[in-house]
Amino acid sequence: MIFRYLIATLIFSTPLIAGPAGYNYDESKVPEYTLPDPLVMENGKKVEIAAAWKVRRDEILGLFEEHVYGKAPIGRPEKLRFVEGEKFDDFLGGKATLQHVRILLFGDENGPHLDLLVIAPKNVPEGGVPAFVALNFSGNHSVHSDKRIPIPDSWMRSSSDDKKAGYVKDNRAQEAGRGFKKNRWAVEKIIDSGMALATFYYGDVDPDFDDNFENGIHAVTGKPAAGEWGSIGSWAWGCSRALDYLETNDSVDAKKAAVFGHSRLGKTSLWAGATDQRFALSISNNSGCGGAALSRRHFGETVERINTSFPHWFCDNFVKYNENEGELPVDQHQLISLIAPRPVYIASAEGDEWADPKGEFLSALHADPVYRLTGTEGLAGAKEHPAVNTPVGGVIRYHVRTGKHDVTDYDWEQYIKAMKDLVVNKKDEIRAPGEAPTILR
Ligand code: GCU
């Protein structure tokens, strides 16, 4: 009896932390740190007017390229070509269209390609509808069970559960995986809100394993130098190529495109929003270390751990900051500042300590001065990490929801609302600071 009581006490008194043991999950153990000021130039000069932000922005972008994500060695390939499949108009009971588009990255049918699944409302107004450009983890066919969605032929990583269930076999997606991630995709809500979803499998651009950069896009561009892109940089580049296509699609208004990703793909969506200013909104869902979370906080995942577990994600220079975050010339609030003054949405989950929810909020908070200088209301006065399920902010929005590391309908409802407020109606976008020129987008 006593023994049982002891066991129960042990089980219930041990906090359930969602993250590997041996890392810091205790707020009181967060070290003292000083963040680089996004509004102070490398030469020490303060950026005081919006017009000067562009110069500082270039500087910060260069630092992220050199030290964190790596510079993309190529932009839009000259021979980029799109092959549109049939557009079915009976999707979701006839209220939406479904189309498969192959983006031939270098124009060659046998060369690297990215397959985009475009789901749009059937009746679109002149000029098209806003769209979410979203990276997916498990293939376009995993997003919805419609049999017409092609199964990717690219390399696919798989958890032991995915293998057991037959979703992935020998690192290739299988028919059995059709729709198996559909709970993460609020397709019908998006369509009912008059918006489109354009999604692609990130592994089409670069496989997510440490392959010494021999496959995917790196096989074409060569082994990256220490300051050149890793996989995250290449996935973000893929988002831009998806947007290149959407600019040609009449159902979509490509000027109203949000880039969305979860977890490692949330790190990617922030980098895509930072590097490609055509994205009108950037959404990071539970992106954590190397995404929205401040590296210097040392809460949950660390730079050393991420570089060790995923050596292919960042550029080689990032390794210099393993257990040495204080020396990083930037921190992740400056990644958010690169998106200013365009809207950004950062979302955390309460049970996702590994991603450091508070650190994700603090990035938003410390990017706020840049958003204000560039003529927006930024976080709209929010100063404290909010209570769960209470979104805060203006052009910078943030929420922490109950539950674990995941993408839920609740998250999508907030993103759809942000798209309506900030991209469609531009409701709380711009104030007019004395010296700001027209908005810098
Ligand atoms: C790991 C990794 C995270 C990442 C996550 C994911 O947990 O440590 O940094 O965000 O995988 O992408 O699922």
Side-chain angles (χ1 to χ4, degrees), residues 22-135:
Y23 292 85
N24 177 37
Y25 301 102
D26 180 346
E27 201 52 45
S28 71
K29 299 210 169 96
V30 169
E32 296 247 325
Y33 60 88
T34 310
L35 293 175
D37 187 333
L39 289 175
V40 175
M41 300 282 302
E42 294 302 285
N43 65 10
K45 285 218 172 92
K46 180 118 183 102
V47 176
E48 276 162 350
I49 58 167
W53 165 244
K54 194 184 168 320
V55 185
R56 173 62 173 147
R57 183 184 187 281
D58 287 348
E59 212 171 57
I60 296 175
L61 184 63
L63 292 171
F64 271 105
E65 285 178 336
E66 181 63 23
H67 299 274
V68 185
Y69 304 101
K71 191 175 168 61
I74 52 170
R76 178 188 165 127
E78 225 169 83
K79 295 200 170 136
L80 188 76
R81 196 151 64 86
F82 315 118
V83 183
E84 292 183 321
E86 188 179 342
K87 187 168 179 176
F88 301 103
D89 66 0
D90 59 348
F91 189 54
L92 298 182
K95 61 183 171 187
T97 58
L98 175 102
Q99 192 176 24
H100 171 77
V101 179
R102 178 156 287 189
I103 302 180
L104 299 171
L105 294 169
F106 300 95
D108 175 3
E109 266 158 45
N110 302 313
H113 56 258
L114 179 166
D115 284 342
L116 194 66
L117 172 68
V118 184
I119 298 172
K122 185 143 95 192
N123 299 312
V124 292
E126 180 80 35
V129 296
F132 292 96
V133 178
L135 302 122

Side-chain angles (χ1 to χ4, degrees), residues 97-177:
T97 58
L98 175 102
Q99 192 176 24
H100 171 77
V101 179
R102 178 156 287 189
I103 302 180
L104 299 171
L105 294 169
F106 300 95
D108 175 3
E109 266 158 45
N110 302 313
H113 56 258
L114 179 166
D115 284 342
L116 194 66
L117 172 68
V118 184
I119 298 172
K122 185 143 95 192
N123 299 312
V124 292
E126 180 80 35
V129 296
F132 292 96
V133 178
L135 302 122
N136 68 64
F137 269 98
S138 309
N140 296 346
H141 72 298
S142 70
V143 169
H144 193 279
S145 38
D146 192 291
K147 289 251 180 303
R148 294 167 294 190
I149 305 173
I151 296 179
D153 48 17
S154 324
W155 186 93
M156 188 162 294
R157 57 186 270 284
S158 58
S159 64
S160 48
D161 283 354
D162 295 352
K163 268 186 230 151
K164 229 188 282 156
Y167 300 149
V168 182
K169 196 175 156 213
D170 301 329
N171 295 110
R172 300 288 153 192
Q174 304 294 312
E175 185 63 38

Side-chain angles (χ1 to χ4, degrees), residues 137 262-265 267 286-287 289 301 305-306 310 313 354 405:
F137 269 98
H262 165 63
S263 206
R264 70 198 67 184
L265 301 180
K267 310 180 205 301
N286 307 179
S287 60
C289 180
E301 190 170 22
R305 161 71 194 231
I306 207 166
F310 307 99
W313 281 3
W354 186 233
H405 188 72

Side-chain angles (χ1 to χ4, degrees), residues 251-332:
S251 298
V252 165
D253 181 352
K255 292 208 162 55
K256 298 193 175 120
V259 59
F260 163 86
H262 165 63
S263 206
R264 70 198 67 184
L265 301 180
K267 310 180 205 301
T268 305
S269 57
L270 289 175
W271 184 233
T275 49
D276 190 336
Q277 298 197 63
R278 293 175 299 169
F279 284 113
L281 166 67
S282 307
I283 305 168
S284 118
N285 193 87
N286 307 179
S287 60
C289 180
L294 291 175
S295 300
R296 280 169 172 78
R297 269 173 53 82
H298 241 264
F299 190 105
E301 190 170 22
T302 63
V303 170
E304 188 267 334
R305 161 71 194 231
I306 207 166
N307 279 327
T308 307
S309 312
F310 307 99
H312 56 295
W313 281 3
F314 299 88
C315 72
D316 279 356
N317 282 337
F318 197 40
V319 175
K320 291 186 203 158
Y321 307 100
N322 287 353
E323 296 297 331
N324 188 25
E325 289 85 349
E327 289 303 311
L328 263 167
V330 283
D331 211 317
Q332 298 305 110

